Amino acid sequence: MIKNKIILVIGTIMLTMTAVTAQSDGDMLVRISEIEVYSQYLDEYLEFALNVGATSVKEEPGVIAIYPMIQKRDSCQIRILEIYASQEAYRHHIGTKHFQTYKQGTLHMVKHLDLVDMTPMNPSAMPEIFRKIKLIEAEQKAQ
């Protein structure tokens, strides 16, 4: 079930990337959210994270990617790669109903949260990265 949702999120990200033109890194927001979840809430938290990611990428043009990942060595350690077309897109995102539902619904599940803003070293390469993912997905479907 989670694997299917991750594939859906990746597909949605790829569709969004083809619609978004490459921007300079001056306005783009790239962030890694480092989250530690209490173990008893892990499955419930993952559902929330997958749902908000898929909904945000699908419904918000300025949300390029919300890609949740689980650390292999500690499943309670979650990392979310977030890419927004602009600071304004991020501000819009955190005001949406689906984000507020996620945020309020998971507050008691999160042991630690650190939002780490990043500076992209080569933002012009981003569309090519997502094109490659789309090609790999097409090849896998053909097999």
Side-chain angles (χ1 to χ4, degrees):
M1 171 76 101
I2 288 179
K3 184 179 177 182
N4 290 339
K5 287 188 177 186
I6 290 172
I7 290 170
L8 173 66
V9 169
I10 291 172
T12 307
I13 290 169
M14 291 182 300
L15 289 173
T16 301
M17 273 308 298
T18 59
V20 175
T21 58
Q23 294 189 5
S24 72
D25 61 19
D27 196 33
M28 184 182 287
L29 173 61
V30 178
R31 170 177 290 158
I32 297 176
S33 295
E34 299 178 348
I35 303 162
E36 182 177 3
V37 177
Y38 291 107
S39 60
Q40 67 266 33
Y41 297 115
L42 182 60
D43 291 338
E44 188 179 359
Y45 178 84
L46 294 175
E47 277 294 314
F48 269 101
L50 288 171
N51 287 334
V52 74
T55 301
S56 300
V57 172
K58 182 179 178 183
E59 294 182 4
E60 297 176 62
V63 177
I64 297 170
I66 296 182
Y67 189 67
M69 300 167 282
I70 303 167
Q71 253 188 29
K72 285 187 177 186
R73 66 179 176 218
D74 181 353
S75 61
C76 290
Q77 294 290 329
I78 310 300
R79 301 297 181 262
I80 302 176
L81 171 63
E82 302 176 49
I83 306 173
Y84 303 93
S86 65
Q87 297 287 333
E88 180 57 37
Y90 173 72
R91 285 189 291 277
H92 175 268
H93 167 68
I94 62 174
T96 62
K97 182 178 179 183
H98 52 269
F99 177 80
Q100 288 300 317
T101 298
Y102 157 78
K103 188 67 175 173
Q104 297 307 312
T106 61
L107 282 173
H108 67 286
M109 301 176 193
V110 174
K111 185 176 185 178
H112 179 76
L113 170 65
D114 189 15
L115 304 177
V116 183
D117 288 350
M118 308 297 288
T119 300
M121 293 175 61
N122 187 4
S124 63
M126 205 177 304
E128 184 60 29
I129 292 167
F130 285 98
R131 269 193 287 280
K132 279 189 168 187
I133 292 172
K134 191 172 184 176
L135 289 173
I136 291 168
E137 183 183 63
E139 288 173 2
Q140 289 173 345
K141 284 183 181 178
Q143 294 177 351

Coordinates of all heavy atoms in Angstrom, one line a residue, residues 19-76:
A19 N 5.7 20.7 -15.9 CA 4.8 21.9 -16.0 C 5.5 23.2 -15.4 O 5.2 24.3 -15.8 CB 3.5 21.8 -15.3
V20 N 6.5 23.0 -14.6 CA 7.2 24.1 -14.0 C 8.5 24.4 -14.7 O 9.3 23.5 -14.9 CB 7.6 23.8 -12.5 CG1 8.4 24.9 -11.9 CG2 6.3 23.5 -11.7
T21 N 8.7 25.6 -15.1 CA 9.9 26.0 -15.8 C 11.0 26.2 -14.8 O 10.7 26.6 -13.6 CB 9.8 27.3 -16.6 OG1 9.3 28.3 -15.7 CG2 8.7 27.1 -17.7
A22 N 12.2 25.9 -15.2 CA 13.4 26.1 -14.3 C 13.5 27.6 -13.8 O 13.4 28.5 -14.7 CB 14.7 25.6 -14.9
Q23 N 13.7 27.8 -12.5 CA 13.8 29.1 -12.0 C 15.2 29.2 -11.4 O 15.9 28.3 -11.1 CB 12.8 29.4 -10.9 CG 11.4 29.3 -11.4 CD 10.4 29.8 -10.3 OE1 10.8 30.2 -9.3 NE2 9.1 29.7 -10.6
S24 N 15.6 30.5 -11.3 CA 16.9 30.7 -10.6 C 16.7 30.3 -9.1 O 15.6 30.3 -8.6 CB 17.3 32.1 -10.7 OG 16.5 32.9 -9.8
D25 N 17.8 30.0 -8.4 CA 17.7 29.5 -7.1 C 17.4 30.7 -6.1 O 17.2 30.5 -4.9 CB 18.9 28.8 -6.6 CG 20.2 29.6 -6.7 OD1 20.1 30.8 -6.8 OD2 21.3 29.0 -6.7
G26 N 17.3 31.9 -6.6 CA 17.1 33.1 -5.8 C 15.7 33.1 -5.1 O 15.6 33.5 -4.0
D27 N 14.7 32.5 -5.7 CA 13.3 32.5 -5.2 C 12.9 31.1 -4.8 O 12.0 31.0 -4.0 CB 12.4 33.2 -6.1 CG 11.0 33.6 -5.5 OD1 11.1 33.9 -4.3 OD2 10.0 33.5 -6.1
M28 N 13.4 30.1 -5.4 CA 13.0 28.7 -5.1 C 13.4 28.4 -3.7 O 14.4 28.8 -3.2 CB 13.8 27.8 -6.1 CG 13.3 26.3 -5.9 SD 14.3 25.2 -7.1 CE 13.5 25.7 -8.6
L29 N 12.5 27.6 -3.0 CA 12.7 27.2 -1.7 C 13.0 25.6 -1.7 O 12.1 24.9 -2.2 CB 11.6 27.5 -0.8 CG 11.6 26.9 0.6 CD1 12.9 27.5 1.4 CD2 10.4 27.3 1.4
V30 N 14.1 25.2 -1.3 CA 14.4 23.8 -1.2 C 14.7 23.5 0.3 O 15.5 24.2 0.9 CB 15.6 23.4 -2.0 CG1 16.0 21.9 -1.9 CG2 15.4 23.7 -3.5
R31 N 14.1 22.5 0.8 CA 14.2 22.2 2.3 C 14.2 20.7 2.5 O 13.5 20.0 1.8 CB 13.0 22.9 3.0 CG 12.8 22.4 4.4 CD 11.7 23.1 5.1 NE 12.0 24.5 5.3 CZ 11.1 25.5 5.4 NH1 9.8 25.2 5.4 NH2 11.5 26.7 5.6
I32 N 14.9 20.3 3.5 CA 14.8 19.0 4.0 C 14.3 19.1 5.4 O 14.8 19.7 6.3 CB 16.2 18.3 4.0 CG1 16.7 18.2 2.6 CG2 16.1 16.9 4.7 CD1 18.1 17.6 2.4
S33 N 13.1 18.5 5.6 CA 12.5 18.4 6.9 C 13.0 17.1 7.6 O 12.8 16.0 7.1 CB 11.0 18.3 6.8 OG 10.5 19.6 6.3
E34 N 13.6 17.3 8.7 CA 14.2 16.2 9.5 C 13.2 15.9 10.7 O 13.0 16.8 11.5 CB 15.6 16.5 10.0 CG 16.6 16.7 8.9 CD 18.0 17.0 9.4 OE1 18.1 17.3 10.6 OE2 18.9 17.0 8.5
I35 N 12.5 14.8 10.6 CA 11.5 14.5 11.6 C 11.7 13.2 12.3 O 12.0 12.2 11.7 CB 10.1 14.4 10.8 CG1 9.9 15.7 10.1 CG2 9.0 14.1 11.8 CD1 8.8 15.6 9.0
E36 N 11.6 13.2 13.6 CA 11.6 12.0 14.4 C 10.2 11.8 14.9 O 9.6 12.6 15.5 CB 12.6 12.1 15.5 CG 12.7 10.8 16.3 CD 13.7 10.8 17.4 OE1 14.4 11.8 17.6 OE2 13.9 9.8 18.1
V37 N 9.7 10.6 14.6 CA 8.3 10.2 15.0 C 8.3 9.2 16.1 O 9.1 8.3 16.2 CB 7.5 9.6 13.8 CG1 6.1 9.2 14.2 CG2 7.5 10.6 12.6
Y38 N 7.4 9.4 17.1 CA 7.3 8.4 18.2 C 6.9 7.0 17.5 O 5.9 7.0 16.6 CB 6.2 8.8 19.2 CG 6.6 9.9 20.0 CD1 6.1 11.2 19.8 CD2 7.6 9.8 21.0 CE1 6.4 12.3 20.6 CE2 8.0 10.9 21.8 CZ 7.4 12.1 21.6 OH 7.8 13.2 22.4
S39 N 7.5 6.0 17.9 CA 7.3 4.7 17.2 C 5.8 4.2 17.2 O 5.4 3.6 16.2 CB 8.2 3.6 17.8 OG 7.9 3.4 19.2
Q40 N 5.1 4.5 18.2 CA 3.7 4.0 18.3 C 2.8 4.7 17.3 O 1.7 4.3 17.0 CB 3.1 4.1 19.7 CG 2.9 5.6 20.2 CD 4.1 6.1 21.0 OE1 5.3 5.7 20.8 NE2 3.8 6.9 22.0
Y41 N 3.3 5.8 16.7 CA 2.5 6.6 15.7 C 3.1 6.5 14.3 O 2.6 7.2 13.4 CB 2.5 8.1 16.1 CG 1.8 8.4 17.4 CD1 2.5 8.9 18.5 CD2 0.4 8.1 17.6 CE1 1.9 9.1 19.7 CE2 -0.2 8.4 18.8 CZ 0.6 8.9 19.9 OH 0.0 9.1 21.1
L42 N 4.1 5.7 14.1 CA 4.8 5.6 12.8 C 3.8 5.4 11.6 O 3.8 6.2 10.7 CB 5.9 4.6 12.8 CG 6.7 4.6 11.6 CD1 7.4 5.9 11.3 CD2 7.8 3.4 11.7
D43 N 3.1 4.3 11.7 CA 2.2 4.0 10.5 C 1.2 5.2 10.2 O 1.0 5.5 9.1 CB 1.4 2.7 10.7 CG 2.4 1.5 10.7 OD1 3.5 1.6 10.1 OD2 2.0 0.5 11.2
E44 N 0.6 5.7 11.3 CA -0.4 6.8 11.2 C 0.3 8.0 10.6 O -0.2 8.7 9.7 CB -1.0 7.1 12.5 CG -2.2 8.0 12.5 CD -2.8 8.3 13.8 OE1 -2.3 7.7 14.8 OE2 -3.7 9.1 13.9
Y45 N 1.5 8.3 11.1 CA 2.2 9.5 10.6 C 2.6 9.3 9.1 O 2.4 10.3 8.3 CB 3.5 9.7 11.3 CG 4.3 10.9 10.8 CD1 4.0 12.2 11.1 CD2 5.2 10.7 9.7 CE1 4.6 13.3 10.5 CE2 5.8 11.8 9.1 CZ 5.5 13.1 9.5 OH 6.1 14.1 8.9
L46 N 3.0 8.2 8.7 CA 3.4 7.9 7.3 C 2.2 8.1 6.4 O 2.3 8.7 5.3 CB 3.9 6.5 7.1 CG 5.3 6.3 7.8 CD1 5.7 4.8 7.6 CD2 6.4 7.2 7.3
E47 N 1.0 7.7 6.8 CA -0.2 8.0 6.0 C -0.5 9.5 5.8 O -0.7 9.9 4.7 CB -1.5 7.3 6.7 CG -1.7 5.9 6.4 CD -2.0 5.6 5.0 OE1 -2.9 6.3 4.4 OE2 -1.4 4.7 4.4
F48 N -0.4 10.2 6.9 CA -0.5 11.7 6.8 C 0.5 12.3 5.9 O 0.1 13.1 5.0 CB -0.3 12.3 8.2 CG -1.6 12.5 9.0 CD1 -1.9 11.6 10.1 CD2 -2.5 13.5 8.8 CE1 -3.0 11.7 10.9 CE2 -3.6 13.7 9.6 CZ -3.9 12.8 10.6
A49 N 1.8 11.9 6.0 CA 2.8 12.4 5.2 C 2.6 12.1 3.7 O 2.8 13.0 2.8 CB 4.2 11.9 5.6
L50 N 2.3 10.9 3.4 CA 2.0 10.5 2.0 C 0.8 11.3 1.4 O 0.9 11.8 0.3 CB 1.8 9.0 1.8 CG 3.1 8.2 2.0 CD1 2.7 6.7 2.1 CD2 4.1 8.5 0.9
N51 N -0.2 11.4 2.2 CA -1.4 12.1 1.7 C -1.2 13.6 1.5 O -1.6 14.1 0.4 CB -2.6 11.9 2.7 CG -3.2 10.5 2.6 OD1 -3.1 9.8 1.6 ND2 -3.7 10.0 3.7
V52 N -0.5 14.3 2.4 CA -0.3 15.7 2.2 C 0.7 15.9 1.1 O 0.5 16.9 0.3 CB 0.2 16.4 3.5 CG1 1.6 16.1 3.8 CG2 0.0 17.9 3.4
G53 N 1.6 15.1 0.9 CA 2.6 15.2 -0.2 C 1.9 15.1 -1.5 O 2.0 15.9 -2.4
A54 N 1.1 14.0 -1.7 CA 0.5 13.7 -3.0 C -0.6 14.9 -3.3 O -0.6 15.3 -4.4 CB -0.2 12.4 -2.9
T55 N -1.3 15.3 -2.3 CA -2.3 16.3 -2.5 C -1.7 17.6 -2.9 O -2.1 18.3 -3.8 CB -3.2 16.5 -1.3 OG1 -3.9 15.2 -1.0 CG2 -4.3 17.5 -1.5
S56 N -0.6 18.0 -2.2 CA 0.0 19.3 -2.4 C 0.6 19.3 -3.8 O 0.5 20.4 -4.5 CB 1.2 19.5 -1.4 OG 0.6 19.5 -0.1
V57 N 1.3 18.3 -4.2 CA 1.9 18.3 -5.5 C 0.9 18.3 -6.6 O 1.0 19.0 -7.6 CB 2.9 17.1 -5.7 CG1 3.4 17.0 -7.1 CG2 4.1 17.3 -4.8
K58 N -0.2 17.6 -6.4 CA -1.3 17.5 -7.4 C -2.1 18.8 -7.5 O -2.4 19.2 -8.6 CB -2.2 16.4 -7.0 CG -3.4 16.1 -8.0 CD -4.2 15.0 -7.6 CE -5.4 14.8 -8.5 NZ -6.3 13.7 -8.1
E59 N -2.4 19.4 -6.4 CA -3.3 20.6 -6.4 C -2.6 21.9 -6.4 O -3.3 22.9 -6.7 CB -4.2 20.5 -5.2 CG -5.2 19.3 -5.3 CD -6.1 19.1 -4.2 OE1 -6.2 20.0 -3.3 OE2 -6.9 18.1 -4.1
E60 N -1.3 22.0 -6.0 CA -0.7 23.3 -5.9 C 0.4 23.5 -6.9 O 1.4 22.8 -6.9 CB -0.1 23.5 -4.5 CG -1.1 23.4 -3.3 CD -0.4 23.5 -2.0 OE1 0.3 24.5 -1.7 OE2 -0.5 22.5 -1.3
P61 N 0.2 24.3 -7.9 CA 1.2 24.5 -9.0 C 2.6 24.9 -8.5 O 3.6 24.5 -9.1 CB 0.6 25.6 -9.9 CG -0.8 25.7 -9.5 CD -1.0 25.2 -8.1
G62 N 2.7 25.6 -7.4 CA 4.0 26.0 -6.9 C 4.7 25.0 -6.1 O 5.9 25.2 -5.7
V63 N 4.1 23.9 -5.7 CA 4.7 22.8 -5.0 C 5.3 21.8 -6.0 O 4.6 21.1 -6.7 CB 3.7 22.1 -4.1 CG1 4.4 20.9 -3.4 CG2 3.2 23.0 -3.0
I64 N 6.6 21.9 -6.2 CA 7.3 21.0 -7.2 C 7.5 19.6 -6.6 O 7.2 18.7 -7.4 CB 8.7 21.7 -7.5 CG1 8.5 23.0 -8.2 CG2 9.5 20.7 -8.4 CD1 9.7 23.8 -8.3
A65 N 7.9 19.5 -5.4 CA 8.1 18.2 -4.8 C 7.9 18.2 -3.3 O 8.3 19.1 -2.6 CB 9.5 17.6 -5.1
I66 N 7.2 17.2 -2.8 CA 7.2 16.8 -1.4 C 7.4 15.3 -1.4 O 6.5 14.6 -1.8 CB 5.9 17.2 -0.7 CG1 5.7 18.7 -0.7 CG2 5.9 16.7 0.7 CD1 4.5 19.3 0.0
Y67 N 8.6 14.9 -1.0 CA 9.1 13.6 -1.2 C 9.5 13.0 0.2 O 10.6 13.2 0.6 CB 10.2 13.5 -2.2 CG 10.6 12.1 -2.6 CD1 9.7 11.3 -3.4 CD2 11.8 11.6 -2.3 CE1 10.1 10.1 -3.8 CE2 12.2 10.4 -2.7 CZ 11.4 9.6 -3.4 OH 11.7 8.3 -3.8
P68 N 8.6 12.3 0.9 CA 8.9 11.7 2.2 C 9.8 10.5 2.0 O 9.5 9.6 1.1 CB 7.6 11.4 2.8 CG 6.6 11.4 1.7 CD 7.2 12.1 0.5
M69 N 10.7 10.3 2.9 CA 11.6 9.1 2.9 C 11.8 8.6 4.4 O 11.7 9.4 5.3 CB 13.0 9.5 2.4 CG 12.9 10.0 0.9 SD 14.4 10.8 0.4 CE 14.3 12.4 1.2
I70 N 12.0 7.3 4.5 CA 12.3 6.7 5.8 C 13.7 6.3 5.9 O 14.2 5.6 4.9 CB 11.4 5.5 6.0 CG1 9.9 5.9 5.8 CG2 11.6 4.8 7.3 CD1 9.0 4.7 5.7
Q71 N 14.4 6.6 6.9 CA 15.8 6.2 7.1 C 15.8 4.7 7.3 O 15.0 4.1 8.0 CB 16.4 6.8 8.4 CG 17.4 7.8 8.2 CD 18.1 8.2 9.5 OE1 18.2 7.5 10.4 NE2 18.5 9.5 9.6
K72 N 16.7 4.0 6.5 CA 16.8 2.6 6.6 C 17.2 2.1 8.0 O 16.8 1.1 8.5 CB 17.8 2.0 5.5 CG 17.2 2.1 4.2 CD 18.1 1.4 3.2 CE 17.4 1.4 1.8 NZ 18.1 0.6 0.8
R73 N 18.1 2.8 8.6 CA 18.7 2.4 9.9 C 17.8 2.7 11.1 O 17.9 2.1 12.2 CB 20.1 2.9 10.1 CG 20.1 4.4 10.3 CD 21.5 4.9 10.6 NE 21.5 6.3 10.6 CZ 22.4 7.1 10.2 NH1 23.5 6.6 9.6 NH2 22.3 8.4 10.3
D74 N 16.8 3.6 10.9 CA 15.9 3.9 12.0 C 14.5 4.4 11.4 O 14.4 5.5 10.9 CB 16.5 5.0 12.9 CG 15.6 5.4 14.1 OD1 14.4 4.9 14.1 OD2 16.0 6.2 14.9
S75 N 13.6 3.5 11.4 CA 12.3 3.8 10.7 C 11.5 5.0 11.3 O 10.6 5.5 10.7 CB 11.4 2.6 10.6 OG 11.1 2.2 11.9
C76 N 11.9 5.4 12.5 CA 11.2 6.6 13.1 C 11.8 7.9 12.7 O 11.3 9.0 13.0 CB 11.3 6.4 14.6 SG 10.2 5.1 15.2

